[in-house]
Amino acid sequence: MSNRYVEMGLAAPVNVTWEVTYSCNLSCIHCLSDSGPKNSNELDTDDCKKVIDEMARNHVFQFSIGGGEPFSRPDFLQLVEYANSKGMVTCISTNGTLINDEIAKRLADELVYIQVSLDGATPESNDSIRGKGSFSRAVHALECLSKRGIEVSINTVLTKLSFSGLDDLATLAASMGAKFRVSRFRPSGRGKKSWGQLNVSGKQMVEFSHWLSSHRNVSTGDSFFSVTQEDRKSLGLNMCGACKMTCCVSPTGEIYPCAFLQEKDFLAGKLPEQSFAPIWKGSPIFESFRELEIKSCESCDRFEMCHGGCPAIAYHTQKKLGIPDPGCLVNCVSIKSARSNV
């Protein structure tokens, strides 16, 4: 797809991230949404179906569904089935702890892709981040899903704690017939409090960039376009897709540029009270993202690789937009060089 069309914004998003609930049975220390108890204002089943109808009318191709823990909603499988009946693909991010063979059997009849979160290849390494017992239950979920022929991947958030275990996680994924995906840690939700403790160093980010180059079968979505090497450029989007190709719907129906910017300053509208098309096409918030320029990056020889990086990290760390991603490869190399010269 031409970058020119992406920069302008598509007529409708290809993908919509839908956080269907705040409820979660775990308390991961890096959670993007600070999930836990269910919010009493979450959309009920009928309103969720209205959201699905609205997205289907606008020819949205895929829901990337997360939370909270999606399977903690009693009606979640009903919502997946309804979305699929409208021709929409569903990619579900889950901690896996609530998935059993009965649920996997039901999912096998749907057009779904499942991402099961693990942050370590052993109970010791994973459970220190995600909670006691989470590793064994996630592995059980992977076994149930794989047995039913469902396409599944292990998703890991890159932190100081998971960094040294990437090879072991890749090996674990391969042994279970799963794909392996690494996501970038952002300081949103509960991650705001753990950012200083968990965020990888500039040196580690450079090392991870080289690791990615030697592991071309590992996917990242657009999580790491700011550290992508030339040899992986064709494997993913090289710019932020927020308000151009994607957006986020919160558990209460609020619409934001992305899941990591669910802040009142970025509220663009609310479903199902409003129609989606006018929000997508004319929201001042969305228009400002499409016009966002990071002038200080335009002279960089890597600008066409990342277009300034992730605005969410820039916002959460500097409280402003229009500035470079502090975790971009150029900044990381500069930090590493400066420290080596001290």
Side-chain angles (χ1 to χ4, degrees):
M1 183 178 295
S2 167
N3 275 348
R4 181 171 67 86
Y5 293 112
V6 174
E7 289 170 354
M8 293 169 55
L10 303 179
V14 174
N15 170 282
V16 169
T17 298
W18 189 9
E19 307 289 298
V20 294
T21 184
Y22 292 113
S23 175
C24 189
N25 58 324
L26 300 183
S27 296
C28 303
I29 58 178
H30 54 27
C31 179
L32 73 90
S33 62
D34 196 12
S35 59
K38 180 180 178 180
N39 186 308
S40 60
N41 295 321
E42 290 181 12
L43 300 181
D44 62 19
T45 303
D46 287 342
D47 280 342
C48 283
K49 288 184 176 181
K50 290 177 184 177
V51 169
I52 293 169
D53 289 339
E54 188 72 5
M55 295 303 172
R57 274 194 294 271
N58 283 273
H59 305 291
V60 173
F61 173 71
Q62 177 177 293
F63 272 131
S64 291
I65 301 176
E69 170 48 47
F71 288 96
S72 68
R73 280 192 69 125
D75 62 354
F76 180 60
L77 289 175
Q78 181 183 347
L79 296 178
V80 171
E81 291 165 356
Y82 189 74
N84 285 176
S85 75
K86 297 292 182 176
M88 299 181 69
V89 177
T90 47
C91 178
I92 304 168
S93 294
T94 172
N95 62 39
T97 61
L98 302 179
I99 294 177
N100 54 30
D101 191 59
E102 182 181 347
I103 289 175
K105 181 180 179 180
R106 191 166 168 184
L107 287 170
D109 295 327
E110 304 300 326
L111 186 55
V112 297
Y113 304 93
I114 312 288
Q115 293 181 175
V116 176
S117 295
L118 280 175
D119 287 295
T122 65
E124 293 75 21
S125 57
N126 176 82
D127 292 4
S128 64
I129 300 173
R130 308 191 64 82
K132 186 177 181 180
S134 58
F135 178 84
S136 61
R137 286 184 286 170
V139 169
H140 177 65
L142 287 163
E143 292 170 344
C144 291
L145 295 166
S146 179
K147 184 172 70 174
R148 295 293 177 180
I150 298 169
E151 185 170 323
V152 64
S153 64
I154 289 175
N155 185 71
T156 296
V157 178
L158 183 69
T159 65
K160 287 180 179 177
L161 297 180
S162 63
F163 177 81
S164 62
L166 293 175
D167 285 329
D168 290 337
L169 281 160
T171 299
L172 175 65
S175 73
M176 304 196 74
K179 296 180 179 180
F180 184 41
R181 186 178 190 273
V182 184
S183 295
R184 193 171 176 189
F185 179 39
R186 273 102 158 178
S188 66
R190 200 148 49 237
K192 293 178 181 179
K193 296 179 180 178
S194 57
W195 176 253
Q197 170 195 356
L198 296 181
N199 186 38
V200 293
S201 66
K203 178 181 178 182
Q204 287 173 319
M205 192 67 89
V206 173
E207 291 177 14
F208 175 70
S209 177
H210 293 307
W211 185 87
L212 278 179
S213 290
S214 61
H215 293 78
R216 289 178 61 84
N217 60 329
V218 174
S219 62
T220 63
D222 65 356
S223 303
F224 287 103
F225 46 75
S226 59
V227 299
T228 298
Q229 301 278 16
E230 185 69 32
D231 57 0
R232 284 180 61 95
K233 184 177 179 180
S234 63
L235 300 182
L237 189 66
N238 64 346
M239 66 172 65
C240 171
C243 307
K244 307 176 185 76
M245 297 182 68
T246 186
C247 64
C248 174
V249 179
S250 81
T252 58
E254 295 175 332
I255 300 177
Y256 298 95
C258 80
F260 304 99
L261 286 173
Q262 296 183 64
E263 308 277 340
K264 62 180 181 180
D265 290 344
F266 302 106
L267 177 60
K270 194 173 189 301
L271 299 176
E273 292 92 325
Q274 297 172 263
S275 297
F276 178 69
I279 298 170
W280 175 258
K281 295 176 182 178
S283 161
I285 295 293
F286 281 21
E287 287 297 324
S288 68
F289 263 77
R290 291 167 187 146
E291 296 168 0
L292 185 64
E293 295 181 334
I294 305 176
K295 292 292 186 182
S296 59
C297 291
E298 291 181 0
S299 60
C300 176
D301 58 8
R302 278 184 51 83
F303 182 70
E304 292 303 319
M305 295 288 291
C306 75
H307 292 263
C310 175
I313 293 182
Y315 172 80
H316 285 299
T317 56
Q318 306 293 324
K319 292 303 176 187
K320 61 189 299 187
L321 297 174
I323 58 174
D325 181 339
C328 81
L329 196 60
V330 171
N331 286 340
C332 291
V333 171
S334 298
I335 292 170
K336 181 181 178 182
S337 299
R339 288 178 177 170
S340 65
N341 291 329
V342 174

